């Protein structure tokens, strides 16, 4: 089965840049989506098809995907960015959706 | 404004069937979107359960396929999940959601608030 690997945790100081990685076999050939989930809330979509931002998501959020790693980058990190972040791809054979294990972002 | 709302029992006994319904407000359930269920067990990550189209076509996660059934009721603007033979491992927050984009590559752009289902005797 296809596995997406994320670091369990990442700590970043306010104002710095957070880079959350998502590793997978030839992930650069797939479309990667990213979700943010804060405690007690439903997930929200923060990036789709590698590097497209939904309306309402700040420009501080950007995405990239190449080779074996997709990355969600959050610049000028603020306390409100503290959350769990999940990457997601589709597998077509067998047909399935795979999520990464999630990365907990802590703003120091 | 489109909203999704899950409903169903918060407690299910082991070996019984977990049943949840998702009501769709502000959108046509017959639109060109697939509707999906995702869950998050305590302390773990997100898990896709499957998806259903307004025609009744379904796709299920291979890991849950043998126990899950989805249905849709367009007149009531709702879709439902049945998960059979539950165990404690099925304890989770269950989310209904909407997928948009290309088939087999879509993203989930709208989520319900989620409902906690605990499997316990």
């Amino acid at each position: 089965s296809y596995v997406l690997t994320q670091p369990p945790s990442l700590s970043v100081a306010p104002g710095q840049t957070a880079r959350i990685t998502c590793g997978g076999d030839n992930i650069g050939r797939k479309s990667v989506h990213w979700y943010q989930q804060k405690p007690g809330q439903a997930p929200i979509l923060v990036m789709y098809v590698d590097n497209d931002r939904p309306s309402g998501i700040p420009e501080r959020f950007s995405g990239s995907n190449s080779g074996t790693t997709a990355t969600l980058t959050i610049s000028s990190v603020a306390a409100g960015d503290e959350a769990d972040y999940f990457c997601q791809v589709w597998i077509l054979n067998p047909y399935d959706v795979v999520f990464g294990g999630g990365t907990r972002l802590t703003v120091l | 404004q489109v909203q999704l709302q899950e409903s169903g029992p918060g407690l299910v006994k082991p070996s019984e069937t977990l049943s949840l319904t998702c009501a769709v407000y502000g959108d046509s359930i017959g639109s060109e979107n697939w509707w999906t269920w995702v869950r998050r067990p305590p302390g773990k990550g997100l898990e896709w359960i499957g998806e259903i189209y307004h025609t009744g076509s379904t796709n299920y996660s291979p890991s849950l396929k043998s126990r899950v059934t989805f249905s849709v009721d367009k007149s009531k603007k709702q879709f439902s999940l049945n998960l059979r033979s539950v165990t404690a491992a099925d304890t989770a927050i269950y989310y209904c959601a909407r997928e948009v984009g290309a088939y087999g590559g879509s993203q989930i752009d709208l989520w319900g608030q989620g409902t906690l289902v605990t499997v316990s005797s």
Side-chain angles (χ1 to χ4, degrees), chain A residues 36-96:
Chain A
Q36 174 196 71
Q37 187 173 27
K38 297 180 179 180
Q41 298 183 20
I44 64 168
L45 180 70
V46 295
M47 197 66 57
Y48 65 99
V49 190
D50 299 340
N51 54 17
D52 283 328
R53 271 181 297 106
S55 60
I57 302 301
E59 291 183 8
R60 302 185 295 106
F61 286 75
S62 62
S64 64
N65 184 19
S66 178
T68 60
T69 305
T71 303
L72 176 70
T73 301
I74 310 171
S75 60
S76 302
V77 164
D81 297 327
E82 276 203 345
D84 294 330
Y85 291 84
F86 297 92
C87 56
Q88 177 239 311
V89 300
W90 284 81
I91 305 301
L92 299 182
N93 188 17
Y95 191 90
D96 198 3

Side-chain angles (χ1 to χ4, degrees), chain A residues 31 33 35 37 40-45 47-49 84 86 88 90-92 94-101 104, chain B residues 34 38 40 44-48 51 59-63 95 99-100 102-109 111-114:
Chain A
S31 292
H33 312 311
Y35 303 89
Q37 187 173 27
Q41 298 183 20
I44 64 168
L45 180 70
M47 197 66 57
Y48 65 99
V49 190
D84 294 330
F86 297 92
Q88 177 239 311
W90 284 81
I91 305 301
L92 299 182
Y95 191 90
D96 198 3
V97 167
V98 177
F99 286 98
R104 177 152 295 178
Chain B
W34 286 72
V38 176
R40 186 172 185 185
K44 296 188 177 182
L46 298 171
E47 180 181 17
W48 185 74
E51 61 182 4
N59 293 299
Y60 301 125
S61 168
S63 64
Y95 299 96
E99 297 173 354
V100 296
Y103 178 75
S106 57
Q107 60 272 17
I108 301 172
D109 77 327
W111 299 71
Q113 66 184 29

Side-chain angles (χ1 to χ4, degrees), chain B residues 24-94:
Chain B
V24 180
Y25 301 100
D27 189 12
S28 169
I29 201 167
S31 61
E32 296 294 312
N33 299 311
W34 286 72
W35 305 92
T36 186
W37 290 94
V38 176
R39 69 182 183 179
R40 186 172 185 185
K44 296 188 177 182
L46 298 171
E47 180 181 17
W48 185 74
I49 301 172
E51 61 182 4
I52 186 166
Y53 199 56
H54 64 84
T55 58
S57 293
T58 56
N59 293 299
Y60 301 125
S61 168
S63 64
L64 294 169
K65 188 174 185 176
S66 63
R67 298 195 291 130
V68 68
T69 304
F70 291 169
S71 60
V72 61
D73 187 330
K74 288 193 287 187
S75 65
K76 294 183 178 179
K77 296 187 67 175
Q78 62 187 32
F79 58 102
S80 300
L81 156 71
N82 278 341
L83 182 64
R84 299 176 292 278
S85 304
V86 297
T87 69
D90 295 307
T91 294
I93 298 175
Y94 285 76

